Amino acid sequence: MTISLYQCSVLSYLQTLDAVHGFLMRAREHFSRHGTNLQEVLSLRMHPDMRPFSFQLHSVAAHATGTIEAMHSGTFTPTIDIPERDYPAWLDHIAQAATKLRALEPGEINACQGKRVMFELGDLRLPFKIEDFVLSFSLPNFHFHATTAYDILRAQGVPLGKRDYLGRLRLDK
């Protein structure tokens, strides 16, 4: 069985981006019913030493779109500063990330296989081949932040289950 770079990157990001958007919508409904201020939700954390909910959403979008940009530029430099956005703007941000990925052609992404990418954060420099970057760094980070966002919502009583996180599966038709 052969799997393409497009399948393991773009399609994987899209599945979870759509799921994140879906559980953000369910959370908005839940919080509205319970009179919870959505701006307060953005500052929630799993633990005091962890980044807030808004950072988790920022990182989900940044890993998905930033990795694709790094395939072309050769550099992935994450931003750790979170832009000020309200809850609806975060919903739009996640949707826009998915829209960007949907516009990509498989051939454009698959042509990047074997290219090198440098992860840069401050003085830290980590060299990768793009497929190793996707599989060993970006996707694990992407899922960490998506899972943390999901867990913050679950801890606040939002009725979510595993299927909400999994999103639309790529079933054999």
Side-chain angles (χ1 to χ4, degrees), residues 30-105:
H30 171 82
F31 291 133
S32 293
R33 278 194 312 276
H34 290 86
T36 304
N37 181 334
L38 290 174
Q39 283 310 108
E40 291 176 13
V41 171
L42 296 174
S43 64
L44 294 173
R45 301 166 188 260
M46 287 298 297
H47 191 272
D49 69 352
M50 290 180 75
R51 296 286 200 131
F53 184 68
S54 58
F55 183 81
Q56 308 310 320
L57 300 178
H58 168 75
S59 296
V60 165
H63 272 283
T65 59
T67 296
I68 302 307
E69 291 165 7
M71 287 181 185
H72 300 294
S73 72
T75 305
F76 184 97
T77 305
T79 57
I80 55 174
D81 296 325
I82 314 164
E84 287 292 324
R85 292 187 171 104
D86 62 10
Y87 196 96
W90 281 111
L91 268 168
D92 289 344
H93 187 65
I94 296 296
Q96 288 170 11
T99 298
K100 284 181 186 177
L101 296 187
R102 280 191 177 81
L104 299 168
E105 293 295 326

